[in-house]
Amino acid sequence: MTQPAPASDMSASTETTGADTLVNSLHACGIQCVFMEDHPAMTPVANAINAAGTLRMLNPISEIACVPMADAYSRYTGEPVASITAGGGHCLNQVMGTTTAWGDKTPVIVIGIQDDHPLSTAPVFDRETLSVESVFKPISVYSVTVQKPDDIAVIVVRAVRESLSAKGGTAYIEIPRSFLEAPVAMSLPTERQSGTKQPVFAQQTAPPMAEPETIQQALLLLRNARKPFIFAGGGVLKANAVNAINDLAKQTGIPLLSSMGALDAVYPDNPMYIGPSSYLSGEAFHKAIKKADVVLSVGACFSGLDGFGLPPIWSGDIKFIQVNIDHQYIALNPGAEIPIITDARQAVEQMLTALAGMPAFPDRTPWITYLKNQNRAHQQRLAKEARCHKPDSGRLHPAAGILAVQKTLEESDAIAVVDGGNTPLWAGMSVALKGPRRMFFPTGMATLGVGIPMALGIKAAAPDKPVMLLTGDGSMLYNIQELELMKKYNLPLVIIVNNDSAWNMIRSGEVMINRSISTDLPEQDYAKVAEAFGMEVVRIRTLADITPDLISRALGGNYPMLIDIPTDRDVFPDSLVSFIRVEMMGVLVPQPLKKMRRMHQSQAKLFSRNTWNIIKYLIKTY
């Protein structure tokens, strides 16, 4: 791994190659880290990086992990990052990671070094050459193929600018392999803006201000509402508006919820906090969106994970005040009573300033207390179910391990990454970290299997902080080869595996109709697998094995550790009911109570605590 060195003043020599120009341009645009495939085509770029000493370079074991690692690094730092791979199938292996980053609007610059094909057919396969750029176009805010070496610098600048503009997102640059060693007559200064830290393309203009009259109308509508709440989306995190929106909730006395795209946007110690993100807060979320009359939405796009903001999940009588930097997200799903097109921080700060000249907002203690009590009952029910669980298999309740690490994790400065199907639901319902940028999940696409590379990417960005990955067993297998990087780059992780030996989010639906199709996994000892990668391992047998001392030692140690927790696959999170309802646009599952009896494999399990909790949850949230 190369470490950045002091940059030289200029790089304008006619002897500069395309690879030199690429490296200098990335650095000049504010990029500090590159995740790059280890491949012969990358040799000129690797040599240029080592010679310049301005970029940090990490080489994942598989090119599939390049973009997920870059994505996570960028999510944590808030800065653009580059991923570079070879052409053909190597580059196409970036589609999954690029789609994931695109879904959450992360500024990752994906670069493909393509072989030069002057013919219309690929000589090896004797078929038409695929346009790789056309594959990336729908999942990029900007995509281009470099036509001549002298264009590399200006294209890199344009790509980074576009990736950071408005809502932001991924950009794709395709560079012919021969351009890397070709001479380039023009390059960019490697010293940014005469020694400042600003990138060469930095725009000096602030986000557009909302009209003061519109801000006043929005606050007046909130003040006169009977049961309002504030809904914080991922744009709050991107705009660094977390502190501001928490202050706005406290100053107005309005309860604050977040979308799934903003898992750590609401501080748990905020008196306006009523529970975890979206339907992870259980009945509290469903009651809020059914009973509210006014909702201030800030930086949210109302995705499927949030019920789209539409009936029948949400009330059709809600008046929405929608704040978004991108006009395309205004009234994308629910209509907008008051649209405000600016970024989250600008809008919220304008509201905070305007509050000073307004009468005090009414006391909404009964409304807030009602929602808090709904969430408290949900949390207590979950804890009791996990504590009292006595399966025939001897396996723990899936939430038991997460609840056992909850307190130690929340009291530390650790960063959490969640991956899987049901596992993120259990983790999101149980763990509340005081953010921002403390809890990560690829919400936009809910991509399965990116947990290990994302956790490693965050550890690379935050080497002094402990990083814990909470993952399902199936999802961990997607990129398990990247555990090798822990030794290569000294990136130790703590991994907790919810090992239920199943693709259990899918299996739960199958079991409801009494038919499981290829969703069972072998009963694997992942402690033994991790031990082969040089990790310290613990295989949990009973809940008493998960002690605070074990978790403190894991988080405090500068070494990798994996804790394998065999869990009961016949237990499902009640929030899965919300997920299914949203997926089906609120339609009632046919004869749900009749089919609920098939959730477990035997008649004796029909009356388990988990089954009754799901039935009650289903009834209470309609």
Side-chain angles (χ1 to χ4, degrees), residues 388-445:
C388 299
H389 185 66
K390 292 182 174 60
D392 297 336
S393 63
R395 287 171 166 247
L396 297 181
H397 188 284
I402 296 172
L403 287 168
V405 307
Q406 172 192 17
K407 189 172 187 296
T408 305
L409 184 60
E410 291 176 350
E411 290 177 350
S412 72
D413 63 346
I415 300 165
V417 180
V418 290
D419 185 18
N422 284 347
T423 301
L425 299 183
W426 293 118
M429 289 191 295
S430 307
V431 178
L433 302 181
K434 185 174 181 179
R437 297 188 170 96
R438 291 281 310 281
M439 198 164 185
F440 293 87
F441 175 67
T443 324
M445 301 301 296

Side-chain angles (χ1 to χ4, degrees), residues 203-415:
Q203 301 179 32
Q204 302 301 318
T205 57
M209 288 187 66
E211 291 291 336
E213 295 81 2
T214 306
I215 294 293
Q216 288 286 348
Q217 289 172 8
L219 289 174
L220 187 61
L221 185 59
L222 284 169
R223 186 175 180 276
N224 293 335
R226 294 180 299 104
K227 294 179 178 178
F229 72 85
I230 301 171
F231 192 56
V236 170
L237 296 172
K238 290 181 71 69
N240 295 315
V242 171
N243 288 340
I245 203 163
N246 278 270
D247 285 345
L248 180 66
K250 285 189 284 188
Q251 290 193 33
T252 57
I254 296 176
L256 177 59
L257 282 162
S258 76
S259 74
M260 291 284 248
L263 286 172
D264 44 14
V266 185
Y267 294 148
D269 59 358
N270 186 334
M272 297 300 108
Y273 173 85
I274 62 169
S277 297
S278 190
Y279 58 73
L280 296 178
S281 59
E283 294 93 335
F285 174 73
H286 286 282
K287 299 299 184 184
I289 65 178
K290 281 292 190 182
K291 294 179 178 292
D293 54 345
V294 175
V295 172
L296 168 61
S297 162
V298 183
C301 61
F302 293 100
S303 72
L305 290 177
D306 304 312
F308 300 107
L310 296 171
I313 304 296
W314 292 63
S315 167
D317 296 327
I318 296 174
K319 293 181 179 179
F320 286 94
I321 305 162
Q322 294 184 30
V323 176
N324 208 295
I325 187 65
D326 191 332
H327 69 278
Q328 296 182 78
Y329 286 113
I330 299 287
L332 173 66
N333 283 314
E337 183 79 10
I338 301 178
I340 302 175
I341 302 175
T342 185
D343 88 335
R345 185 170 180 176
Q346 179 68 52
V348 174
E349 287 183 348
Q350 283 187 251
M351 289 182 180
L352 287 168
T353 300
L355 281 176
M358 293 185 69
F361 274 50
D363 181 9
R364 295 193 175 86
T365 299
W367 171 231
I368 296 164
T369 301
Y370 170 76
L371 295 176
K372 282 178 174 286
N373 287 341
Q374 294 287 322
N375 179 62
R376 185 178 299 110
H378 185 251
Q379 294 287 323
Q380 291 171 346
R381 190 173 69 244
L382 173 63
K384 184 176 181 180
E385 179 184 318
R387 186 175 62 251
C388 299
H389 185 66
K390 292 182 174 60
D392 297 336
S393 63
R395 287 171 166 247
L396 297 181
H397 188 284
I402 296 172
L403 287 168
V405 307
Q406 172 192 17
K407 189 172 187 296
T408 305
L409 184 60
E410 291 176 350
E411 290 177 350
S412 72
D413 63 346
I415 300 165

Side-chain angles (χ1 to χ4, degrees), residues 35-111:
F35 294 86
M36 193 166 75
E37 178 187 7
D38 191 0
H39 185 276
M42 303 294 105
T43 300
V45 181
N47 290 340
I49 289 174
N50 290 328
T54 54
L55 297 180
R56 187 181 184 190
M57 177 175 64
L58 292 93
N59 305 112
I61 301 301
S62 168
E63 71 271 14
I64 293 174
C66 282
V67 177
M69 290 185 73
D71 180 9
Y73 190 102
S74 179
R75 288 173 194 249
Y76 181 77
T77 63
E79 301 295 333
V81 181
S83 167
I84 309 178
T85 61
H90 297 261
C91 193
L92 291 175
N93 278 336
Q94 305 311 298
V95 170
M96 175 274 292
T98 304
T99 306
T100 302
W102 169 82
D104 285 331
K105 303 138 185 107
T106 312
V108 178
I109 312 303
V110 182
I111 300 172

Side-chain angles (χ1 to χ4, degrees), residues 496-547:
I496 294 183
V497 184
N498 174 26
N499 184 358
D500 55 15
S501 300
W503 300 108
N504 218 10
M505 178 175 275
I506 306 300
R507 181 178 176 276
S508 61
E510 294 179 345
V511 170
M512 286 182 70
I513 58 173
N514 206 25
R515 186 184 180 193
S516 177
I517 309 169
S518 301
T519 52
D520 293 338
L521 293 173
E523 294 192 4
Q524 181 63 262
D525 185 340
Y526 289 99
K528 290 181 179 179
V529 176
E531 195 170 26
F533 283 97
M535 301 182 72
E536 182 172 334
V537 299
V538 178
R539 175 87 163 168
I540 299 300
R541 302 296 180 184
T542 68
L543 191 56
D545 295 337
I546 314 175
T547 64

Side-chain angles (χ1 to χ4, degrees), residues 127-193:
R127 62 181 60 188
E128 290 186 4
T129 304
L130 172 70
S131 170
V132 176
E133 184 202 336
S134 67
V135 175
F136 282 87
K137 200 174 191 68
I139 52 173
S140 306
V141 296
Y142 175 73
S143 64
V144 66
T145 297
V146 177
Q147 298 299 323
K148 56 183 186 295
D150 283 357
D151 291 343
I152 291 175
V154 69
I155 283 176
V156 169
V157 170
R158 173 72 183 274
V160 175
R161 184 194 298 273
E162 295 292 339
S163 76
L164 294 172
S165 298
K167 65 180 181 292
T170 53
Y172 176 73
I173 304 174
E174 189 167 305
I175 304 176
R177 186 171 176 177
S178 62
F179 287 8
L180 297 178
E181 296 183 292
V184 173
M186 186 193 85
S187 187
L188 290 170
T190 56
E191 186 70 22
R192 306 177 204 163
Q193 294 276 315

